[in-house]
């Protein structure tokens, strides 16, 4: 770390030489032999930086956070509001400060008004959260697009990542935050084609510096920016983002905890409860067919055959692992009039005693953003704890929240629940927290 004109500069070694990101001032923390560190306390004021901040999920999360913090709504649906987390030193809902990146010019308030019109959000809640949404929207900065506006100068991906990182650090410093947690909520993108640059630092460094090349998908530029800023990161979509060898390696080296990917909000959550139950009962799943109907931005995005592939992979991988069957056909249809409502149907064909057959059918219908938003708040609180406790790279226990968890092959939801609870206790112990201290803070 060095000073340039009064601003801190990160020095990130991507290849044999150093690449500096002036103004992105991340802090490298130091650990004593007993595991303690100089990192800020986990329950200190924390930034929640939403990538895709003006979308439905981000706006719902920001609005929900505002009314929960003001006591106008209960944190129903937030895992970390449960009794088993009461002794964990997590930032209070009122201590989360919202900002973000987006390429949209539709404000968070306007997005919330559209969600009210759709019947998803009660008008009284928008009234109560209006000022908070305006404050959050004022903290939204231009994001990164692989397709800049006509006539705009093309920036290299290194320059773009440094710009995004500087926004995050500026937000942290202006608000006096202990840390900023970045959560990517941008629409699903096609998975990148295999390329040597994605696993070789020297090649990647050269590619990032060339404004005529875009070797990283936009989600990975976002993830790289979080690493430059020293910000814990969660990938809530099935996009590649941090899940590239070179970026995961950098997260480990820089001491940045990360979690992903693809939020487990509805149909897949139910599947990871039911599938282990069939196995425990001694039954054999022959096939598990599913269908998703959804509208809104996600429906339109997933109508793209390339973009939908990453979603199909993430939704199917865990189910195949849990059932031992590769007969898990799934299709996703765009039904525009459904808006933010998602309908999921499953048909499960099972072999029982003496070759008998049984069938289970389930239908799940819910506002997708309402399922996702509370988990975004949970991830912000838990990644603050992970950062304070000195975790680096993928945190496998946070796989509880994801369809395709990084660093873990566990998909059984009951097992994930136990693992998450055990991890929270261990992380709390690492930062010196206990039930008495937590009670004093409440």
């Amino acid at each position: 770390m060095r000073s340039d004109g009064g601003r801190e500069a990160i020095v990130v070694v991507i290849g044999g030489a150093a690449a500096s990101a002036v103004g992105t001032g991340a802090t490298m923390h130091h650990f004593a032999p007993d595991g303690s560190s100089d990192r800020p306390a986990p329950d200190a004021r924390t930034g929640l930086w939403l990538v895709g901040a003006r979308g439905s999920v981000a706006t719902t999360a920001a609005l929900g956070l505002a009314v929960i913090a003001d006591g106008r709504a209960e944190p129903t649906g937030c895992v970390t509001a449960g009794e088993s987390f009461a002794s964990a030193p997590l930032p209070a809902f009122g201590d989360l400060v919202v900002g973000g990146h987006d390429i949209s010019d539709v404000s968070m308030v306007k997005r919330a008004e559209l969600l009210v019109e759709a019947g998803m959000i009660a008008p009284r809640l928008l009234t109560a959260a209006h000022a908070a949404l305006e404050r959050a929207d004022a903290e939204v900065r231009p994001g990164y697009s692989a397709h800049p506006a006509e006539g705009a100068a093309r920036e290299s991906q290194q320059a773009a990542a440094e710009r995004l990182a500087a926004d995050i650090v500026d937000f942290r410093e202006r608000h006096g935050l202990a840390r900023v947690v970045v959560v990517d909520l941008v629409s699903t993108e096609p998975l990148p084609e295999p390329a040597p640059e994605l696993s070789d630092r020297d090649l990647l460094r050269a590619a990032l510096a060339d404004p005529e090349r875009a070797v990283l998908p936009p989600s990975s530029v976002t993830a790289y920016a979080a690493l430059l800023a020293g910000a814990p990161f969660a990938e809530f979509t099935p996009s590649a983002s941090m899940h590239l060898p070179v970026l995961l390696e950098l997260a480990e080296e820089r001491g940045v905890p990360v979690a992903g990917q693809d939020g487990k909000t509805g149909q897949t959550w139910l599947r990871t409860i039911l599938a282990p139950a069939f196995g425990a009962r001694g039954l054999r799943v022959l096939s598990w067919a599913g269908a998703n109907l959804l509208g809104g931005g996600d429906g339109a995005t997933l109508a793209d055959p390339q973009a939908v592939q990453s979603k199909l992979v993430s939704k199917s991988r865990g189910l195949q692992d849990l059932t031992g069957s590769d007969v898990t056909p799934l299709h996703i249809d765009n039904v525009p009039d459904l808006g933010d409502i998602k309908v999921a149907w499953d048909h499960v064909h099972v072999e029982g005693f003496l070759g008998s057959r049984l069938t289970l059918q389930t239908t799940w219908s819910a506002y997708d953003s309402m399922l996702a938003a509370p988990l975004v708040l949970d991830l912000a609180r838990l990644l603050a704890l992970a950062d304070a406790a000195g975790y680096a790279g993928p945190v496998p226990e946070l796989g509880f929240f994801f369809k395709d968890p990084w660093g873990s092959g566990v998909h059984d939801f009951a097992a994930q629940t136990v693992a998450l609870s055990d991890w929270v206790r261990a992380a709390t112990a690492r930062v010196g927290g206990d039930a008495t201290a937590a009670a004093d803070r409440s």
Side-chain angles (χ1 to χ4, degrees):
M1 183 94 48
R2 66 179 184 272
S3 176
D4 289 88
R7 297 180 297 169
E8 287 185 319
I10 299 176
V11 177
V12 182
V13 178
I14 295 182
S20 65
V22 177
T24 50
T27 302
M28 296 298 288
H29 300 282
H30 304 283
F31 292 85
D34 64 359
S36 62
S37 84
D38 61 352
R39 295 185 183 227
D43 53 356
R45 271 167 50 88
T46 296
L48 172 54
W49 193 263
L50 302 170
V51 183
R54 291 171 171 160
S56 296
V57 175
T59 298
T60 304
L63 184 150
L65 176 63
V67 295
I68 290 170
D70 285 349
R72 297 173 184 269
E74 295 296 320
T76 305
C78 290
V79 175
T80 54
E83 187 61 32
S84 61
F85 295 85
S87 62
L90 305 176
F93 289 108
D95 286 332
L96 295 177
V97 183
V98 178
H101 281 123
D102 210 317
I103 59 174
S104 171
D105 58 2
V106 176
S107 73
M108 296 175 83
V109 170
K110 178 59 180 177
R111 181 69 62 191
E113 290 172 350
L114 295 173
L115 296 175
V116 168
E117 291 175 11
M120 191 182 91
I121 293 175
R124 64 177 179 82
L125 294 180
L126 174 54
T127 299
H130 196 280
L133 286 178
E134 287 186 326
R135 289 194 297 273
D137 194 71
E139 297 290 351
V140 177
R141 301 292 180 263
Y144 170 74
S145 173
H147 307 288
E150 186 175 351
R154 180 179 290 276
E155 60 183 343
S156 71
Q157 290 195 317
Q158 180 69 37
E162 292 179 7
R163 172 176 61 82
L164 300 178
D167 291 337
I168 296 167
V169 173
D170 175 68
F171 176 70
R172 185 189 72 204
E173 294 177 349
R174 282 189 296 104
H175 290 281
L177 304 171
R179 58 181 55 81
V180 177
V181 176
V182 177
V183 183
D184 183 19
L185 300 169
V186 174
S187 296
T188 302
E189 65 190 17
L191 292 174
E193 294 293 329
E197 290 87 351
L198 304 184
S199 56
D200 185 296
R201 287 194 183 193
D202 290 329
L203 293 177
L204 179 60
R205 180 171 180 268
L208 291 179
D210 185 349
E212 298 304 316
R213 299 190 64 188
V215 67
L216 292 180
S219 64
S220 296
V221 175
T222 293
Y224 178 41
L227 295 180
L228 291 179
F233 178 85
E235 180 54 61
F236 210 79
T237 83
S239 300
S241 76
M242 191 74 71
H243 203 225
L244 301 176
V246 68
L247 294 184
L248 290 176
E249 182 181 325
L250 193 58
E252 292 270 6
E253 288 184 8
R254 294 199 58 76
V256 177
V258 300
Q261 71 191 67
D262 200 4
K264 184 161 64 175
T265 58
Q267 180 186 35
T268 305
W269 169 63
L270 187 59
R271 286 175 161 194
T272 58
I273 295 170
L274 293 175
F278 284 119
R281 183 65 175 77
L283 303 171
R284 185 164 74 94
V285 173
L286 301 174
S287 63
W288 197 310
N292 285 182
L293 310 177
L294 69 162
D298 275 353
T301 297
L302 296 176
D304 178 348
Q306 288 187 308
V308 77
Q309 285 306 310
S310 57
K311 174 67 74 173
L312 294 174
V313 168
S314 68
K315 286 179 73 71
S316 298
R317 182 177 288 129
L319 184 61
Q320 292 171 355
D321 180 72
L322 289 169
T323 63
S325 172
D326 58 3
V327 186
T328 56
L330 172 69
H331 66 89
I332 300 175
D333 293 326
N334 179 27
V335 184
D337 59 279
L338 288 177
D340 199 63
I341 295 175
K342 179 179 179 180
V343 179
W345 171 80
D346 273 331
H347 180 282
V348 191
H349 194 207
V350 177
E351 180 181 358
F353 190 56
L354 301 180
S356 61
R357 298 291 192 267
L358 64 94
T359 297
L360 172 69
Q361 295 187 51
T362 65
T363 303
W364 173 280
S365 180
Y367 286 107
D368 210 29
S369 294
M370 283 294 195
L371 297 173
L375 304 188
V376 171
L377 303 183
D378 286 328
L379 285 165
R381 303 180 80 199
L382 290 169
L383 279 169
L385 175 59
D387 185 57
Y391 289 88
V395 182
E397 295 82 0
L398 294 183
F400 171 96
F401 294 96
F402 299 104
K403 297 181 181 73
D404 199 6
W406 294 342
S408 172
V410 177
H411 297 278
D412 181 327
F413 189 70
Q416 289 177 321
T417 301
V418 172
L420 179 64
S421 296
D422 290 345
W423 175 83
V424 168
R425 283 193 292 272
T428 298
R430 286 177 69 162
V431 297
D434 57 35
T436 302
D440 291 340
R441 286 189 294 269
S442 64

